[in-house]
Amino acid sequence: MTLEKLILAAVTLSGSKVPVGANVFVCETKDEMDQVAADLEAILDGIAHKLSNGVYIIVKH
Amino acid sequence: MNEYTFSILFGVTVGTLSRIYMFRTDYRQYPTYPHGMVIHLALGFIAAALGALVVPSIMEEEFTAVTFLTLAASQFREVRNMERKTLNEMDSLELVPRGASYIEGIAVTFEGRNYLVIFISFVSSLAYLSINLWAACIAAFLAFLVAKKYMTGSRLGEIAEVEQATVSFDGAGLYVDNIYIMNIGIPVRQQEILKHGLGFVINPKNFDARSTIGNLGQRQAILHDLAISLGVYRDSGTPALVPLIKRDLDDGRIGIFILPQNKSADLAMKVISQVPTLENAIRMPTETKEKGSGQS
């Protein structure tokens, strides 16, 4: 079976909404969040998408 | 040497020369040079020989000999399979793939051109044997014109208009004009895209063109040609920088987003207009005939 899309990881600010069911990276600041998302994007060969509630998800397309 | 030797030689020469003319090793770099070329030249020669042999075999009342043409048909179908297989295997290694429809188009072209060669050498050897050498030259020329007409398809510029459009972000959403392309989260990546990105919108000229340019294979072919001509600012493992092409559901316009190495909008618009319209993508919904209207 080939997966068309898969959420590899999620990046969120501490205290805000924490997704369940993926590898979650909790960050302190917005800058840290951007940085972690960029790192994960490069490492996982995915795209960092931003949800309307501010959470980043790294998705493999 | 017999009375057919010169007609066969003439047919084979004309056919092979026309096959050489049909080669267009251009920006696509296909067929590859020199070995891919040699394979197709050899097949073109075989096709020309088959075409030139038909007339003498009929004149000698060797009608069963004509059945070798069926052999030719299966042989050239094999050419199509070979091209399809090779291109499909290579496609996964392209930074911007050709897509299955484009590959099928190329493969069909290779098969079709061999039949055109058979046709040209058949017509010229027929004219040689039934009239004379000069008539054969004229017949070869006319057959060549017919073949030329059938070997070139239409271009995208004929069915649609291309214009440059702005690339912008609304939150995390990337837009070309008002067509949504994708969601890019990281601000640094957004800056990179705004710096290097180019956007274009293709407006279909009529209702038929709307279906044609909406075809996913046609869209991938546009991206591939654009990426080949302008270069592409990406590497493996950077899916956020992949060129994308999306459709406006309301009016069928197509939005193209690409990060080229050569950021020349004029050149890009020329390239898009010159993209071949894929045979497999052409749709003619306005040609639909009502059942029972007396036309089929």
Side-chain angles (χ1 to χ4, degrees):
Chain A
M1 190 181 75
T2 39
L3 290 168
E4 287 248 321
K5 286 179 202 280
L6 176 68
I7 299 180
L8 300 170
V11 187
T12 183
L13 284 175
S14 61
S16 73
K17 296 174 175 70
V18 180
V20 182
N23 303 304
V24 181
F25 295 79
V26 180
C27 302
E28 297 294 327
T29 64
K30 176 82 175 61
D31 286 344
E32 188 192 348
M33 203 165 121
D34 287 348
Q35 192 54 51
V36 170
D39 291 346
L40 285 170
E41 186 182 70
I43 295 162
L44 298 171
D45 287 356
I47 304 184
H49 294 298
K50 192 178 190 182
L51 305 183
S52 47
N53 63 2
V55 175
Y56 282 122
I57 52 171
I58 317 291
V59 181
K60 183 88 178 170
H61 287 274
Chain B
M1 297 281 265
N2 60 25
E3 72 261 46
Y4 301 124
T5 309
F6 285 108
S7 80
I8 291 171
L9 275 179
F10 183 78
V12 170
T13 313
V14 170
T16 312
L17 287 177
S18 62
R19 184 68 188 100
I20 293 171
Y21 174 80
M22 286 181 208
F23 279 127
R24 293 255 188 248
T25 299
D26 51 11
Y27 66 96
R28 281 171 278 231
Q29 283 301 305
Y30 204 82
T32 48
Y33 184 85
H35 293 102
M37 202 87 159
V38 170
I39 292 169
H40 286 289
L41 269 182
L43 286 164
F45 175 79
I46 294 168
L50 287 171
L53 283 172
V54 172
V55 183
S57 53
I58 292 174
M59 285 183 164
E60 287 294 315
E61 299 191 355
E62 295 280 351
F63 299 120
T64 46
V66 181
T67 52
F68 62 67
L69 284 178
T70 56
L71 193 73
S74 61
Q75 178 66 36
F76 295 130
R77 203 160 41 243
E78 202 50 49
V79 172
R80 166 148 50 130
N81 290 336
M82 175 187 83
E83 287 303 330
R84 187 196 295 124
K85 207 170 151 218
T86 317
L87 286 168
N88 264 327
E89 278 172 15
M90 292 195 310
D91 212 31
S92 58
L93 303 174
E94 299 270 359
L95 280 179
V96 180
R98 286 188 173 87
S101 300
Y102 202 177
I103 288 176
E104 197 56 42
I106 294 172
V108 166
T109 308
F110 274 108
E111 185 184 356
R113 286 190 180 174
N114 282 312
Y115 297 130
L116 289 179
V117 168
I118 293 183
F119 169 71
I120 291 172
S121 59
F122 167 75
V123 169
S124 41
S125 71
L126 177 67
Y128 192 108
L129 284 173
S130 53
I131 312 175
N132 59 23
L133 174 65
W134 300 112
C137 290
I138 295 167
F141 182 68
L142 291 178
F144 178 72
L145 289 184
V146 173
K148 195 166 179 245
K149 183 178 180 302
Y150 282 104
M151 82 178 229
T152 43
S154 60
R155 309 258 158 204
L156 202 65
E158 293 164 27
I159 61 163
E161 279 164 9
V162 187
E163 56 189 50
Q164 196 180 359
T166 50
V167 177
S168 59
F169 278 98
D170 179 10
L174 171 64
Y175 287 83
V176 166
D177 197 29
N178 62 347
I179 303 169
Y180 176 76
I181 302 290
M182 66 171 155
N183 179 308
I184 298 286
I186 304 168
V188 182
R189 191 73 74 224
Q190 291 189 358
Q191 294 303 321
E192 199 174 25
I193 281 169
L194 288 175
K195 187 178 164 203
H196 295 282
L198 276 181
F200 301 94
V201 167
I202 305 182
N203 285 306
K205 284 185 184 167
N206 54 44
F207 192 74
D208 290 342
R210 193 186 283 195
S211 316
T212 305
I213 61 171
N215 181 289
L216 291 175
Q218 180 66 56
R219 278 147 72 171
Q220 189 61 40
I222 296 171
L223 287 182
H224 177 78
D225 275 7
L226 206 51
I228 290 290
S229 304
L230 297 182
V232 62
Y233 181 84
R234 73 162 298 222
D235 195 4
S236 61
T238 53
L241 304 178
V242 171
L244 281 175
I245 188 159
K246 296 276 179 180
R247 189 172 189 215
D248 186 329
L249 297 179
D250 290 330
D251 53 15
R253 287 179 310 146
I254 300 288
I256 303 174
F257 162 73
I258 186 167
L259 297 150
Q261 301 237 286
N262 173 7
K263 203 178 168 186
S264 161
D266 290 337
L267 182 61
M269 283 193 282
K270 270 187 207 151
V271 171
I272 296 170
S273 309
Q274 288 298 310
V275 172
T277 316
L278 299 183
E279 282 179 29
N280 307 322
I282 296 174
R283 296 285 178 275
M284 299 270 177
T286 56
E287 296 286 309
T288 312
K289 304 273 192 303
E290 270 184 55
K291 205 176 176 187
S293 65
Q295 290 171 309
S296 57

